[in-house]
Structure formats: C-alpha cells, structure tokens
C-alpha cells in the first residue's frame, strides 16, 4: 500500500471514529464519547498552554524579522546547526544532567530501601524531609547551596577551621560541584518518591525465601529485590527531564552553561536573538518528547533491562 493510500485510509478511520463518537449508537461509542468529554479540559489547556506557544516558536524560528515575526528565513536553524558553541552547550547539558540523574537515582534506591525495609523512628518526619525539596524553587535551592558552601557558608567555614585552610579557597558554591549538589538535591526526592511506589510491590516472600536459603542481605537485594524494582529505576531515570528544566539554580550559581541558561541569554538584552532561542526551544521539546516515549516504553516492558 502506498503512503498516500495509507494516509487516506487513516484519515477515513479517524473521521469514522469521530462521527461515531459524536453520534454514538453502541455502548462502546458512548464510552468513547464520555472519555472524550472528560479529556476536553486537558485538550483545551494543552492547546492554549502547549500547542499555540509551540506554533509560535516554529513561526519565530523561521521569521526573517524576529522582532515583528515577519518574512521567512532558515538563518536561525543554520546558525544553530553550524555554531560549535551550541553543540558544546548541548553536550554540557546532557552529561551534567545525566550524571546528576544517575547519582540521584542511586541515592533514591538507598533512601527508598531504608524507608521501606526498616522501622525508622519519626518516619513521617524523615519522609517529609526527603520530599521537601520538591516544593522548593530552583532559586531557593541555589541560596541554600550558597549558605552551606559559599565563602561564608557553614560547611565551608567548618572545614576551614578543621583544616586551617582559607575559606575563600574552600568555597565551592559557585563552582560546578556546588551546582551539581543543587541538581542532586532537587532530583533526589523525585526519584525517591517514584521508587517508593515500586518498593511497595516487591515480593517480600521471595526475599524471605532467599534469606532462609542462606543469602546475605546484599545477595538478597542484588538477586531478588533489584530485579523487581528495575521498572521503578527506569521510571526514576525519567526525572532526567526535570533536570533539563532546572533554571533558577543555574541562573544564580552560573558555574556551568546548560540549555536553559543558553535560552535565557539568547533572549536577554545585549545578545538578543529570539529566533535562535526559539529554535533551541523546539529542539529541546522534540528531545523531551522522544525521551519520554522511549522511557515509557521501557517502563511498560516487563523484561526491562538496564
């Protein structure tokens, strides 16, 4: 079947489905209509807050005059494709956020294991403390890092007193290590909350059987618990998307150039280039959508492998 015939056939099926949903004659059609009505608010919101801005970004990236959005030009896309700085920023973003995500997921596994497998005193307070950073904006996280690791930071001065070194030399809030800690602090509670849900479905009897057969705690975790929480680990890795979106922390600390900071600079006075910023934003959205679909496919697979 040719592409044209396939497209025509698909369009007919969609039209038939739409007509059956609008004027249902069977219970299945009436169910589809109820689902469509319940989804209408979402589609209205997605249209206003998602599709319309995306269409504007597409037009802006192709505008010859980016101020008045007039004319047509591929200059922004040519600039994006041929300028080495943009590829460097993309690589910086991927490795930095990827590493922060992996560390956050590893810590999330440890925290979830402790919360689910042991009876902790003040467990609710511990859970609240672990989940608290989710509610913090990135700017506040950045200031927390400065309070701890800045030149007058608590940790910085404590280490300075203990080692006799200068606090100015030890301050790392505005170094890449400070920014990395800020990212991990923001991503860790997200990964932990996802993993706790997976831990709740772990087969406890299989763990008990392994221990009864002589397996150590580590062997039980590696051979029994870890395979069962792998879908949760893959789901937690999807917090990579949240890491890509972090802006307030990197705006304040500015120790590492990532995609969100680059878009901010492209729309700022002095380097105003909104058509390039729009092109970067579209690449960002396309990557996020593709990453989400691939990640969800692994999450839904029972035979997930990492």
């Amino acid at each position: 079947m040719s592409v044209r015939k396939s497209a025509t056939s698909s369009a007919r099926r969609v039209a038939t489905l739409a007509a059956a949903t609008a004027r249902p004659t069977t219970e299945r059609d009436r169910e589809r209509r109820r689902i469509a009505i319940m989804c209408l608010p979402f589609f209205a919101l997605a249209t206003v807050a998602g599709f319309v801005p995306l269409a504007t970004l597409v037009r802006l990236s192709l505008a010859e005059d980016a101020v008045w959005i007039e004319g047509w030009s591929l200059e922004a896309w040519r600039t994006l494709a041929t300028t080495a700085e943009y590829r460097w920023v993309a690589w910086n973003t991927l490795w930095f956020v990827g590493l922060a995500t992996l560390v956050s997921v590893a810590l999330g596994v440890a925290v979830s294991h402790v919360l689910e497998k042991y009876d902790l005193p003040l467990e609710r307070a511990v859970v609240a403390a672990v989940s608290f950073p989710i509610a913090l904006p990135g700017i506040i996280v950045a200031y927390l890092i400065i309070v701890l690791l800045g030149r007058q930071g608590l940790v910085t001065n404590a280490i300075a007193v203990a080692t006799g070194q200068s606090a100015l030399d030890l301050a790392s809030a505005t170094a890449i290590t400070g920014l990395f800690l800020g990212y991990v602090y923001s991503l860790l509670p997200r990964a932990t909350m996802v993993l706790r849900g997976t831990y709740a479905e772990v087969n406890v009897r299989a763990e008990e059987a392994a221990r009864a057969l002589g397996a150590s705690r580590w062997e039980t975790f590696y051979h029994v618990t870890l395979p069962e929480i792998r879908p949760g680990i893959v789901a937690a890795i999807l917090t990579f998307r949240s890491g890509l979106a972090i802006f307030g922390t990197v705006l304040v600390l500015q120790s590492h150039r990532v995609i969100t900071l680059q878009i901010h600079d492209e729309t700022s006075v002095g380097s105003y280039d909104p058509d390039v910023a729009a092109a970067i934003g579209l690449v960002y959205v396309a990557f996020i959508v593709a990453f989400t679909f691939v990640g969800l496919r692994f999450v839904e697979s029972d035979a997930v492998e990492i």
Side-chain angles (χ1 to χ4, degrees):
M1 181 181 291
S2 66
V3 175
R4 185 175 180 179
K5 288 183 178 178
S6 177
T8 303
S9 177
S10 298
R12 286 177 179 171
R13 284 199 298 270
V14 171
T16 302
L17 185 61
T21 303
R23 296 180 179 178
T25 56
T26 65
E27 183 57 32
R28 177 59 178 161
D29 292 340
R30 283 189 280 273
E31 183 181 6
R32 287 199 185 99
R33 187 172 66 173
R34 288 193 292 271
I35 294 173
I37 292 174
M38 287 188 289
C39 290
L40 275 178
F42 167 76
F43 283 116
L45 180 62
T47 301
V48 174
F51 300 141
V52 172
L54 282 176
T56 303
L57 284 182
V58 172
R59 181 67 185 92
L60 180 58
S61 70
L62 297 173
E64 184 177 11
D65 184 338
V67 177
W68 300 102
I69 314 183
E70 295 177 344
W72 296 91
S73 174
L74 292 173
E75 183 61 25
W77 289 98
R78 189 191 68 77
T79 301
L80 189 62
T82 59
T83 304
E85 180 184 356
Y86 296 121
R87 294 194 293 273
W88 173 71
V89 171
W91 169 243
N92 267 356
T93 305
L94 290 175
W95 78 257
F96 184 77
V97 179
L99 182 60
T101 302
L102 291 178
V103 171
S104 302
V105 172
L107 293 175
V109 170
V111 173
S112 302
H113 191 87
V114 170
L115 289 174
E116 297 298 326
K117 298 297 181 183
Y118 299 96
D119 293 327
L120 299 177
L122 302 175
E123 183 174 340
R124 289 186 178 181
V126 174
V127 173
V130 171
S131 61
F132 178 66
I134 292 178
L136 294 178
I139 291 178
I140 301 300
V141 172
Y143 281 115
L144 289 176
I145 296 297
I146 292 173
V147 167
L148 292 175
L149 302 176
R151 294 179 178 180
Q152 299 178 332
L154 298 175
V155 175
T156 301
N157 282 277
I159 296 176
V161 170
T163 62
Q165 299 183 56
S166 170
L168 296 179
D169 296 331
L170 293 172
S172 59
T174 55
I176 193 170
T177 51
L179 184 64
F180 184 78
L181 290 176
Y183 268 63
V184 172
Y185 185 68
S186 297
L187 296 178
L188 174 59
R190 292 172 169 81
T192 302
M193 293 303 108
V194 172
L195 285 162
R196 285 198 72 195
T198 305
Y199 258 96
E201 299 178 0
V202 169
N203 188 342
V204 179
R205 292 184 177 179
E207 293 178 323
E208 293 174 349
R211 293 301 307 275
L213 292 173
S216 65
R217 289 185 181 275
W218 166 250
E219 289 172 335
T220 302
F221 172 79
Y222 185 77
H223 293 290
V224 179
T225 308
L226 186 59
E228 293 200 43
I229 65 170
R230 280 188 300 181
I233 292 175
V234 176
I237 290 176
L238 289 177
T239 57
F240 176 78
R241 299 171 300 174
S242 301
L244 291 176
I246 290 177
F247 174 61
T249 308
V250 73
L251 178 64
V252 174
L253 300 180
Q254 297 211 7
S255 56
H256 189 67
R257 182 164 292 277
V258 295
I259 193 72
T260 48
L261 187 60
Q262 185 67 35
I263 292 175
H264 170 265
D265 289 349
E266 297 291 345
T267 55
S268 300
V269 176
S271 58
Y272 188 64
D273 220 347
D275 53 340
V276 175
I280 296 173
L282 290 171
V283 173
Y284 173 87
V285 171
F287 177 81
I288 290 292
V289 171
F291 180 83
T292 301
F293 275 105
V294 172
L296 291 178
R297 185 173 181 179
F298 277 100
V299 171
E300 293 169 355
S301 172
D302 292 332
V304 60
E305 295 290 345
I306 300 177

